[in-house]
């Protein structure tokens, strides 16, 4: 019996190429450690944010606490709170208003995750059954609404119209981004412009608001506020582009995350758009047909993956994300090195994480 | 052939009793006309609210305007705007801030209708296919989120922390009310206390906020603000109790509203609770069994209806609603008759409408 080893070699070559891509874009463990160290050094502060979160879930309805804390306390990276705290500290603010506001931002973020899961029919979130699977779409929608309303109430109690304006602007944009994304689902002709608009709205604006609010409570000038707003927008954009690219090339069985989830959901992201634009008519037809296919199979994904890889789409996407990070770092060059460094680690993290 | 006419007579007697109940609670056309007249006399103001609504839907995403305006412009009674405008006018406020704020309240109300329809799997809303049927649950959830966020942005731009506090408190309570209602679905042991808490949260708090915001922009004293808040809460409670009672006894084919919709949805409301409390063990078992039955049929509803009617539950419920209206009117007795009258018409309307 002669075994056909060619599929094995095809995979081997494919993984080797992936390893090269990853190395090329500095997925170096030591660098990732910087973010872990930063998280650790702010452990006490993040604990205070967690306390605020628990306090804000003080609804008389036990069920709300149960659903919301299931998600909020289940291993999020607290990215938005970190951006807010470091931004505020960069402007000399040492008080504890940041914890309340950080908790409100985390609520808004969690509300969108809950509603996203309903929209995407998600079955898993961070490796655990998603809220809609455990409690149904109805409860998931309503607890999301509660978190959104509760976050505004918390922000109103801070009595700062600048902060309220900044965050409610962001929340409106976020809803627009989610709707735009829904409209562009299974739309192979989605332009890079549309995609970037979705990315900015659904992800970057809240991170941008976190950075700007830090500047607001640190009493920064309007000029500096704008710089911080841009910094947040740029790292948020990098974050999402990297996320969308990693979706194509990584899986994590422990987190229940499968490779190519976005493709199966019909979401059109940077690697696809880049390839579609620069590919032959034949490839374009194939990409379009596979994206529009109902009940996509693993082999459909592999075909798309192969075309994208041939076009160096992942490398290209990481490069774009990397450019955003560089641009973001330029925005904060005015800060002293000691205050700038943690924000730079955050910026680097957006394209260095492997999940 | 001898025809059995007894079902016909049972129905005839039943409708006759209903007519008596209705007459008994003053469903008199002339009275209802008062509300119509009031709406007409404020037509110009309501047109200004409609303009604000259109202006606030200025999203670059055409789809949002399409979904939102489908619902917002489709024959709502503009009850909350009316309460707000009349309350503000009662305190001498003649400016046009009311229109912007009224439009924000209408957005919040519409957002909850959209999310309600997803939760209830509704097929019709105001006689037209509901948004979830036309555009899917996903878009309906997200457009609801947009309206909620957009309403906050509009309120923030008003730069009044008292108003923001009042409305964001209401919005949080509304989400709690919706969740509590979901938890109490198909729960025959729901207490009157729980039911009233649901009614206050899901309906009355926003009407209460409308009345209080009117007092805020009219620069009323804290004492008067509280009176107006209570007025709104009481008419809102009456409104919902009457609504829930009418749900049992009326249908409107042109609006696609079927008699007993709440029962079919497993919602436990005032007439059921009152009857359950005062009924025999045998009746209680029957009510409980019918409520918990899957795929309820018309005959199931008719059995429940009959038990409730025997206990005079509809009459009782209208009486309770009527008491709330009386109490509400007491709250505004301090106002001059000319300013009080329109608010009294609004209060009466909550239990006089037949749909």
């Amino acid at each position: 019996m002669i075994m056909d080893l060619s599929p094995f070699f095809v995979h081997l070559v494919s993984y080797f190429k992936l390893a090269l891509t990853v190395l090329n874009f500095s997925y170096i463990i030591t660098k990732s450690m910087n973010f872990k160290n930063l998280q650790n050094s702010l452990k006490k502060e993040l604990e205070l944010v967690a306390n605020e979160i628990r306090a804000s879930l003080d609804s008389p309805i036990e069920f709300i606490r149960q659903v919301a804390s299931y998600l909020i306390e289940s291993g999020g990276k607290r990215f938005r709170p970190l951006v807010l705290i470091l931004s505020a500290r960069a402007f000399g603010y040492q008080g504890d208003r940041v914890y309340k506001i950080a908790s409100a931002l985390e609520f808004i973020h969690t509300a969108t995750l809950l509603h996203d899961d309903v929209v995407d029919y998600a079955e898993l979130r961070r490796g655990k059954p998603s809220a809609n699977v455990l409690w149904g779409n109805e409860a998931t929608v309503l607890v999301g609404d509660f978190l959104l309303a509760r976050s505004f109430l918390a922000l109103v109690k801070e009595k700062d119209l600048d902060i309220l304006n900044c965050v409610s602007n962001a929340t409106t944009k976020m809803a627009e981004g989610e709707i735009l994304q829904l409209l562009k689902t299974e739309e192979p002709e989605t332009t890079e412009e549309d995609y970037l608009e979705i990315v900015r709205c659904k992800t970057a604006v809240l991170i941008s608001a976190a950075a700007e609010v830090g500047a607001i409570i640190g009493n920064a000038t309007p000029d500096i506020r704008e710089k911080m707003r841009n910094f947040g927008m740029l790292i948020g954009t990098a974050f999402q582009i990297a996320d969308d690219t990693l979706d194509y090339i990584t899986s994590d069985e422990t987190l229940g995350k499968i490779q190519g989830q976005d493709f199966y959901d019909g979401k059109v992201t940077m690697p696809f758009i880049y390839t579609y634009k620069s590919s032959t008519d034949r490839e374009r037809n194939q990409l379009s047909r596979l994206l529009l296919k109902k009940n996509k199979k693993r082999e459909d994904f592999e075909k798309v993956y192969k075309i994208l890889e041939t076009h160096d789409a992942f490398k290209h996407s990481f490069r774009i994300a990397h450019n955003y990070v560089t641009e973001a770092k330029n925005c904060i060059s005015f800060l002293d090195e000691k205050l700038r460094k943690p924000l730079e680690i955050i910026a680097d993290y957006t394209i260095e994480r492997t999940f």
Side-chain angles (χ1 to χ4, degrees), chain A:
Chain A
M1 194 179 81
I2 301 164
M3 275 177 73
D4 178 11
L5 286 174
S6 59
F8 172 74
F9 282 113
V10 167
H11 268 92
L12 198 68
V13 169
S14 156
Y15 281 119
F16 186 66
K17 277 190 182 169
L18 172 60
L20 278 178
T21 309
V22 164
L23 277 174
N24 201 16
F25 284 91
S26 333
Y27 277 42
I28 303 164
I29 291 171
T30 51
K31 269 211 164 184
S32 259
M33 280 304 288
N34 281 338
F35 184 74
K36 272 261 159 271
N37 289 343
L38 187 66
Q39 265 186 325
N40 281 337
S41 71
L42 290 169
K43 212 173 164 183
K44 216 170 149 184
E45 309 233 39
L46 291 176
E47 193 44 55
L48 292 169
V49 175
N51 288 348
E52 280 302 330
I53 287 173
R54 278 186 285 269
S56 297
L57 286 175
D58 65 345
S59 164
I61 304 167
E62 167 62 24
F63 178 76
I64 292 179
R65 204 176 4 252
Q66 196 185 339
V67 178
S69 62
Y70 177 75
L71 194 57
I72 298 183
E73 307 215 21
S74 74
K77 294 176 290 290
R78 305 270 192 254
F79 190 70
R80 290 143 198 87
L82 279 172
V83 171
L84 169 61
I85 293 170
L86 291 176
S87 170
R89 300 296 181 245
F91 300 102
Y93 178 81
Q94 297 297 334
D96 52 13
R97 283 177 73 198
V98 276
Y99 310 125
K100 276 201 201 318
I101 302 169
S103 123
L105 297 185
E106 206 66 353
F107 271 27
I108 294 171
H109 172 55
T110 307
T112 63
L113 293 184
L114 286 168
H115 287 186
D116 272 1
D117 284 348
V118 171
V119 170
D120 292 343
Y121 310 100
E123 288 176 15
L124 289 165
R125 165 75 64 188
R126 293 177 190 150
K128 299 203 292 183
S130 58
N132 45 321
V133 168
L134 287 178
W135 294 287
N137 278 345
E138 303 81 3
T140 307
V141 168
L142 297 177
V143 173
D145 289 351
F146 171 81
L147 290 178
L148 209 55
R150 194 69 191 72
S151 68
F152 271 100
L153 186 57
L155 290 172
V156 167
K157 292 204 185 301
E158 288 300 307
K159 301 185 182 194
D160 186 322
L161 285 166
D162 278 349
I163 295 177
L164 280 166
N165 194 40
C166 174
V167 178
S168 57
N169 242 318
T171 316
T172 307
K173 285 264 162 240
M174 286 168 81
E176 287 184 341
E178 295 287 348
I179 292 164
L180 198 55
Q181 174 171 276
L182 189 66
L183 295 175
K184 295 293 173 186
T185 300
E186 296 186 346
E187 176 53 83
E189 310 267 344
T190 305
T191 62
E192 190 170 321
E193 209 180 356
D194 277 339
Y195 166 72
L196 287 173
E197 181 64 11
I198 292 169
V199 164
R200 277 190 293 264
C201 286
K202 78 167 194 168
T203 307
V205 287
L206 191 60
I207 295 169
S208 171
E212 187 179 354
V213 168
I216 294 172
I217 58 177
N219 284 321
T221 62
D223 177 49
I224 298 289
R225 266 178 60 177
E226 197 188 330
K227 286 200 165 85
M228 292 311 292
R229 177 165 62 238
N230 291 341
F231 169 78
M233 193 64 113
L234 292 162
I235 63 169
T237 306
F239 185 97
Q240 191 59 51
I241 295 172
D243 209 54
D244 293 343
T245 312
L246 287 167
D247 188 86
Y248 268 105
I249 58 179
T250 62
S251 65
D252 188 332
E253 276 174 30
T254 56
L255 287 182
K257 197 221 143 300
I258 67 161
Q259 194 182 348
Q261 185 65 58
D262 287 345
F263 167 74
Y264 293 109
D265 290 345
K267 282 183 192 151
V268 179
T269 60
M270 184 63 95
F272 189 99
I273 292 165
Y274 171 74
T275 307
Y276 195 82
K277 207 167 52 184
S278 56
S279 60
T280 63
D281 281 355
R282 203 173 148 268
E283 284 170 330
R284 232 197 301 270
N285 284 339
Q286 205 180 356
L287 286 173
S288 179
R289 187 181 54 78
L290 290 164
L291 180 77
L292 294 170
K293 211 174 152 182
K294 301 287 160 216
N295 302 316
K296 301 180 185 76
K297 301 265 183 319
R298 172 81 194 172
E299 64 203 52
D300 300 320
F301 170 71
E302 278 170 1
K303 280 179 200 156
V304 167
Y305 180 92
K306 215 168 170 314
I307 300 173
L308 269 53
E309 204 197 16
T310 316
H311 283 262
D312 263 347
F314 309 124
K315 215 166 153 177
H316 169 81
S317 298
F318 280 128
R319 192 180 304 123
I320 302 238
H322 189 265
N323 291 345
Y324 277 106
V325 171
T326 308
E327 221 186 312
K329 286 181 180 172
N330 285 339
C331 293
I332 52 166
S333 59
F334 68 93
L335 286 168
D336 284 346
E337 205 206 330
K338 209 183 134 195
L339 301 168
R340 201 177 63 226
K341 191 72 195 156
L343 288 165
E344 285 178 347
I345 292 174
I346 289 262
D348 283 329
Y349 166 75
T350 61
I351 50 168
E352 276 163 10
R353 71 222 152 81
T354 50
F355 54 88

CSV table of all heavy atoms in Angstrom, one decimal, chain A residues 180 184 187-200 268-270 272-274 276-277:
chain,number,residue,atom,x,y,z
A,180,LEU,N,-23.5,48.8,9.6
A,180,LEU,CA,-22.7,48.8,8.3
A,180,LEU,C,-22.1,47.4,8.1
A,180,LEU,O,-22.2,46.9,7.0
A,180,LEU,CB,-21.6,49.9,8.4
A,180,LEU,CG,-21.1,50.3,7.0
A,180,LEU,CD1,-22.1,50.8,6.1
A,180,LEU,CD2,-20.0,51.5,7.3
A,184,LYS,N,-22.8,44.8,5.0
A,184,LYS,CA,-21.7,44.4,4.1
A,184,LYS,C,-21.4,42.9,4.2
A,184,LYS,O,-20.5,42.4,3.6
A,184,LYS,CB,-20.5,45.2,4.4
A,184,LYS,CG,-20.6,46.7,4.1
A,184,LYS,CD,-20.8,47.0,2.6
A,184,LYS,CE,-21.1,48.4,2.3
A,184,LYS,NZ,-21.4,48.7,0.9
A,187,GLU,N,-20.8,40.4,1.0
A,187,GLU,CA,-20.7,41.4,0.0
A,187,GLU,C,-19.2,41.4,-0.5
A,187,GLU,O,-18.4,42.2,0.0
A,187,GLU,CB,-21.1,42.8,0.5
A,187,GLU,CG,-21.0,44.0,-0.4
A,187,GLU,CD,-21.7,43.7,-1.7
A,187,GLU,OE1,-22.9,43.9,-1.8
A,187,GLU,OE2,-21.0,43.3,-2.7
A,188,PRO,N,-18.9,40.6,-1.5
A,188,PRO,CA,-17.5,40.5,-1.9
A,188,PRO,C,-16.9,41.8,-2.4
A,188,PRO,O,-15.7,42.0,-2.4
A,188,PRO,CB,-17.5,39.4,-3.0
A,188,PRO,CG,-18.9,39.4,-3.5
A,188,PRO,CD,-19.8,39.7,-2.3
A,189,GLU,N,-17.8,42.7,-2.9
A,189,GLU,CA,-17.3,44.0,-3.5
A,189,GLU,C,-17.0,45.0,-2.4
A,189,GLU,O,-16.7,46.2,-2.7
A,189,GLU,CB,-18.2,44.5,-4.5
A,189,GLU,CG,-18.7,43.6,-5.6
A,189,GLU,CD,-17.9,43.6,-6.9
A,189,GLU,OE1,-17.1,44.6,-7.0
A,189,GLU,OE2,-17.9,42.7,-7.7
A,190,THR,N,-17.1,44.7,-1.1
A,190,THR,CA,-16.9,45.6,-0.1
A,190,THR,C,-15.5,46.3,-0.3
A,190,THR,O,-14.5,45.7,-0.5
A,190,THR,CB,-16.8,44.9,1.3
A,190,THR,OG1,-18.0,44.2,1.5
A,190,THR,CG2,-16.6,45.9,2.5
A,191,THR,N,-15.5,47.7,-0.3
A,191,THR,CA,-14.3,48.4,-0.5
A,191,THR,C,-13.5,48.5,0.8
A,191,THR,O,-14.0,48.4,1.9
A,191,THR,CB,-14.6,49.8,-1.0
A,191,THR,OG1,-15.3,50.5,0.0
A,191,THR,CG2,-15.4,49.8,-2.3
A,192,GLU,N,-12.2,48.8,0.6
A,192,GLU,CA,-11.3,49.0,1.8
A,192,GLU,C,-11.8,50.2,2.6
A,192,GLU,O,-11.8,50.1,3.8
A,192,GLU,CB,-9.9,49.2,1.3
A,192,GLU,CG,-8.9,49.2,2.5
A,192,GLU,CD,-7.4,49.2,2.0
A,192,GLU,OE1,-7.1,48.6,1.0
A,192,GLU,OE2,-6.6,49.9,2.7
A,193,GLU,N,-12.4,51.2,1.9
A,193,GLU,CA,-12.9,52.3,2.6
A,193,GLU,C,-14.1,52.0,3.5
A,193,GLU,O,-14.1,52.4,4.7
A,193,GLU,CB,-13.4,53.3,1.5
A,193,GLU,CG,-13.4,54.8,1.9
A,193,GLU,CD,-13.9,55.6,0.7
A,193,GLU,OE1,-14.2,55.1,-0.4
A,193,GLU,OE2,-14.0,56.8,0.9
A,194,ASP,N,-15.0,51.2,3.0
A,194,ASP,CA,-16.1,50.7,3.8
A,194,ASP,C,-15.6,49.9,5.0
A,194,ASP,O,-16.1,50.0,6.1
A,194,ASP,CB,-17.1,49.8,2.9
A,194,ASP,CG,-18.1,50.6,2.1
A,194,ASP,OD1,-18.3,51.8,2.5
A,194,ASP,OD2,-18.6,50.1,1.1
A,195,TYR,N,-14.7,49.0,4.7
A,195,TYR,CA,-14.2,48.1,5.7
A,195,TYR,C,-13.5,48.9,6.8
A,195,TYR,O,-13.8,48.7,8.0
A,195,TYR,CB,-13.1,47.1,5.1
A,195,TYR,CG,-12.3,46.4,6.1
A,195,TYR,CD1,-12.9,45.4,7.0
A,195,TYR,CD2,-11.0,46.8,6.4
A,195,TYR,CE1,-12.1,44.8,7.9
A,195,TYR,CE2,-10.2,46.1,7.3
A,195,TYR,CZ,-10.8,45.1,8.1
A,195,TYR,OH,-10.0,44.5,9.1
A,196,LEU,N,-12.7,49.9,6.4
A,196,LEU,CA,-12.1,50.7,7.5
A,196,LEU,C,-13.1,51.6,8.3
A,196,LEU,O,-12.9,51.8,9.5
A,196,LEU,CB,-11.0,51.7,6.8
A,196,LEU,CG,-9.7,50.9,6.4
A,196,LEU,CD1,-8.8,51.8,5.6
A,196,LEU,CD2,-9.0,50.3,7.5
A,197,GLU,N,-14.1,52.0,7.6
A,197,GLU,CA,-15.2,52.7,8.3
A,197,GLU,C,-15.8,51.8,9.4
A,197,GLU,O,-16.1,52.2,10.5
A,197,GLU,CB,-16.3,53.2,7.3
A,197,GLU,CG,-17.4,54.0,7.9
A,197,GLU,CD,-17.0,55.3,8.5
A,197,GLU,OE1,-15.8,55.7,8.4
A,197,GLU,OE2,-17.8,55.9,9.2
A,198,ILE,N,-16.1,50.5,9.0
A,198,ILE,CA,-16.7,49.6,9.9
A,198,ILE,C,-15.7,49.4,11.1
A,198,ILE,O,-16.1,49.4,12.3
A,198,ILE,CB,-16.9,48.2,9.2
A,198,ILE,CG1,-18.1,48.3,8.2
A,198,ILE,CG2,-17.3,47.1,10.3
A,198,ILE,CD1,-18.2,47.1,7.3
A,199,VAL,N,-14.4,49.2,10.8
A,199,VAL,CA,-13.4,49.0,11.8
A,199,VAL,C,-13.3,50.1,12.8
A,199,VAL,O,-13.3,50.0,14.0
A,199,VAL,CB,-12.0,48.7,11.2
A,199,VAL,CG1,-10.9,48.8,12.2
A,199,VAL,CG2,-12.0,47.3,10.5
A,200,ARG,N,-13.3,51.3,12.2
A,200,ARG,CA,-13.2,52.5,13.1
A,200,ARG,C,-14.4,52.6,14.0
A,200,ARG,O,-14.3,52.8,15.2
A,200,ARG,CB,-13.1,53.8,12.2
A,200,ARG,CG,-11.7,54.1,11.7
A,200,ARG,CD,-11.6,55.5,11.1
A,200,ARG,NE,-12.4,55.5,9.8
A,200,ARG,CZ,-11.9,55.4,8.6
A,200,ARG,NH1,-10.6,55.2,8.5
A,200,ARG,NH2,-12.6,55.4,7.6
A,268,VAL,N,-16.4,40.2,5.4
A,268,VAL,CA,-15.4,40.5,4.4
A,268,VAL,C,-14.4,41.5,5.1
A,268,VAL,O,-14.7,42.6,5.5
A,268,VAL,CB,-16.0,41.2,3.2
A,268,VAL,CG1,-14.9,41.6,2.2
A,268,VAL,CG2,-17.0,40.3,2.6
A,269,THR,N,-13.1,41.0,5.3
A,269,THR,CA,-12.1,41.8,6.0
A,269,THR,C,-10.9,42.1,5.2
A,269,THR,O,-10.8,41.7,4.0
A,269,THR,CB,-11.8,41.1,7.3
A,269,THR,OG1,-11.2,39.8,7.0
A,269,THR,CG2,-13.0,40.9,8.2
A,270,MET,N,-9.9,42.8,5.7
A,270,MET,CA,-8.8,43.3,5.0
A,270,MET,C,-8.1,42.2,4.1
A,270,MET,O,-7.9,42.6,2.9
A,270,MET,CB,-7.8,43.8,6.0
A,270,MET,CG,-6.6,44.5,5.4
A,270,MET,SD,-7.0,45.9,4.4
A,270,MET,CE,-6.8,47.2,5.5
A,272,PHE,N,-9.1,39.6,2.6
A,272,PHE,CA,-10.0,39.3,1.5
A,272,PHE,C,-10.1,40.5,0.5
A,272,PHE,O,-10.0,40.3,-0.7
A,272,PHE,CB,-11.4,38.9,2.0
A,272,PHE,CG,-12.4,38.4,1.0
A,272,PHE,CD1,-12.6,37.0,0.9
A,272,PHE,CD2,-13.0,39.2,0.1
A,272,PHE,CE1,-13.5,36.5,-0.1
A,272,PHE,CE2,-13.9,38.7,-0.8
A,272,PHE,CZ,-14.1,37.4,-0.9
A,273,ILE,N,-10.3,41.6,1.1
A,273,ILE,CA,-10.5,42.8,0.2
A,273,ILE,C,-9.3,43.1,-0.6
A,273,ILE,O,-9.3,43.4,-1.8
A,273,ILE,CB,-10.8,44.1,1.1
A,273,ILE,CG1,-12.2,43.9,1.7
A,273,ILE,CG2,-10.8,45.4,0.3
A,273,ILE,CD1,-12.5,44.8,2.9
A,274,TYR,N,-8.1,43.0,0.1
A,274,TYR,CA,-6.8,43.3,-0.6
A,274,TYR,C,-6.7,42.3,-1.8
A,274,TYR,O,-6.3,42.7,-2.9
A,274,TYR,CB,-5.7,43.1,0.4
A,274,TYR,CG,-4.3,43.1,-0.3
A,274,TYR,CD1,-3.8,44.3,-0.7
A,274,TYR,CD2,-3.6,42.0,-0.4
A,274,TYR,CE1,-2.5,44.3,-1.3
A,274,TYR,CE2,-2.3,42.0,-1.0
A,274,TYR,CZ,-1.8,43.2,-1.4
A,274,TYR,OH,-0.6,43.2,-2.0
A,276,TYR,N,-9.0,40.4,-3.3
A,276,TYR,CA,-10.1,40.6,-4.3
A,276,TYR,C,-9.7,41.7,-5.3
A,276,TYR,O,-10.0,41.5,-6.5
A,276,TYR,CB,-11.4,40.9,-3.6
A,276,TYR,CG,-12.6,40.7,-4.4
A,276,TYR,CD1,-13.2,39.5,-4.6
A,276,TYR,CD2,-13.2,41.8,-5.0
A,276,TYR,CE1,-14.3,39.3,-5.4
A,276,TYR,CE2,-14.3,41.7,-5.8
A,276,TYR,CZ,-14.9,40.4,-6.0
A,276,TYR,OH,-16.0,40.3,-6.8
A,277,LYS,N,-9.2,42.7,-4.8
A,277,LYS,CA,-8.8,43.9,-5.6
A,277,LYS,C,-7.7,43.6,-6.6
A,277,LYS,O,-7.8,44.0,-7.7
A,277,LYS,CB,-8.4,45.0,-4.6
A,277,LYS,CG,-8.6,46.4,-5.1
A,277,LYS,CD,-8.4,47.5,-4.0
A,277,LYS,CE,-7.1,47.3,-3.3
A,277,LYS,NZ,-6.9,48.2,-2.1
